Amino acid sequence: MFYDNLKAICDSRGLKITTVVTECGGALGSISKWKNGANPNSDIVIKLSFHLGVTTDYLLTGKKNNFSTNESE
């Protein structure tokens, strides 16, 4: 699922997944592991989320986070 979400985001922005992963310090070998269902480590998920401007939840689940960040609510 992570790979599919990452690929969809990259495709929608005209980016190559290999370029994005290497720009974030990830190993190219990880991409094929993710494609086969392996879970990424938290460090690369965080780096990719910042680089792509999406939440880690969105990368991992494909769902947008609807939680409030305002503690008074």
Side-chain angles (χ1 to χ4, degrees):
M1 179 177 288
F2 171 78
Y3 173 83
D4 296 329
N5 297 335
L6 177 60
K7 180 153 177 34
I9 294 165
C10 289
D11 288 349
S12 73
R13 297 177 183 188
L15 302 171
K16 293 186 181 226
I17 193 169
T18 54
T19 303
V20 171
V21 170
T22 56
E23 287 175 352
C24 292
L28 292 180
S30 297
I31 297 170
S32 62
K33 291 177 184 175
W34 299 335
K35 194 173 187 176
N36 291 322
N39 291 317
N41 70 46
S42 58
D43 291 336
I44 194 66
V45 174
I46 293 167
K47 289 176 184 177
L48 288 166
S49 74
F50 279 114
H51 185 78
L52 295 168
V54 298
T55 65
T56 55
D57 288 347
Y58 191 69
L59 277 173
L60 293 169
T61 67
K63 297 178 184 177
K64 292 186 179 183
N65 184 339
N66 290 327
F67 299 114
S68 172
T69 57
N70 186 343
E71 292 181 16
S72 65
E73 292 184 356

